[in-house]
Amino acid sequence: MPRGPERELQIYALGLSGGKPSVPVPLDLLEQKAKEILPPRAYDYVAGGAGGEDTMRANREAFYRWRIVPRMLRDVSKRDLSVEVVGARLPAPVLLGPVGVQEIVHDDADVASARSAASLGLPFVLSTMSSRSMEEVAQSAGEVATQALGWRERSSFRITAGGRWMAASAHWMRCREWCTK
């Protein structure tokens, strides 16, 4: 699939010929499409939030406050979205955050997500509620992978799980503080 300006031109050209993208762009249409396709229990899990969904609502409101600020008359022939995070160079300031129980929406679950992230050079963060073992996911995770552990976990478990993840993955984000706390 084309990226950046090429993808943008592809979408515009499709629209000019009366076509529509295969994946809806507006979030509400994407959510509607997911509701049509997914079994009810899977949709409810993915679309819902904990408790009164206050955090989910606050996150969405914070996201909507962001704006793209056009920068006119600048050379954009060579764009660089890369950033450095904990000593690792990433192609963009994006990572795939932890989502548990992924098998409810896809048979390959976390492995498919890790593979997708790796294909883009982006970090994949494994959930403590992952559908696959960290060893299985690490084989697909690419050069940057981390293990997310829930707040309820005890220090001894964090160190054990961290050791398993480091042993399973050839490359991992070096978060020494995390392993020693």
Side-chain angles (χ1 to χ4, degrees):
M1 176 182 289
R3 295 184 188 173
E6 292 82 21
R7 176 69 176 141
E8 190 176 340
L9 289 173
Q10 184 184 51
I11 292 171
Y12 286 145
L14 187 63
L16 290 173
S17 65
K20 292 184 178 182
S22 58
V23 177
V25 177
L27 290 178
D28 57 334
L29 292 180
L30 186 59
E31 188 173 355
Q32 179 184 334
K33 188 75 169 171
K35 191 171 189 172
E36 293 169 10
I37 294 171
L38 294 172
R41 73 183 192 115
Y43 174 78
D44 291 343
Y45 177 79
V46 172
E53 300 183 341
D54 293 334
T55 301
M56 190 169 76
R57 187 173 25 264
N59 288 343
R60 189 172 285 194
E61 288 169 3
F63 178 76
Y64 288 143
R65 284 193 296 271
W66 282 92
R67 297 289 178 257
I68 294 176
V69 179
R71 304 289 187 212
M72 307 299 182
L73 302 174
R74 305 220 179 164
D75 181 10
V76 294
S77 61
K78 294 179 184 174
R79 298 178 307 150
D80 181 13
L81 301 177
S82 65
V83 295
E84 188 172 314
V85 178
V86 196
R89 194 92 190 141
L90 305 178
V94 175
L95 59 81
L96 271 68
V99 176
V101 198
Q102 289 189 34
E103 69 186 351
I104 200 168
V105 294
H106 193 280
D107 290 338
D108 290 342
D110 311 89
V111 172
S113 297
R115 198 178 314 122
S116 295
S119 75
L120 298 170
L122 298 173
F124 171 75
V125 183
L126 186 67
S127 170
T128 53
M129 297 303 206
S130 65
S131 300
R132 301 291 182 269
S133 72
M134 63 180 72
E135 290 84 359
E136 186 180 354
V137 175
Q139 292 175 2
S140 302
E143 291 196 20
V144 183
T146 61
Q147 164 69 18
L149 296 170
W151 60 270
R152 67 184 180 282
E153 308 300 339
R154 298 288 180 251
S155 296
S156 60
F157 177 78
R158 283 201 316 234
I159 292 169
T160 302
R164 280 179 56 210
W165 181 255
M166 289 181 269
S169 179
H171 306 280
W172 56 283
M173 270 193 167
R174 300 184 190 286
C175 300
R176 289 189 180 103
E177 290 182 8
W178 169 81
C179 289
T180 58
K181 285 185 179 178

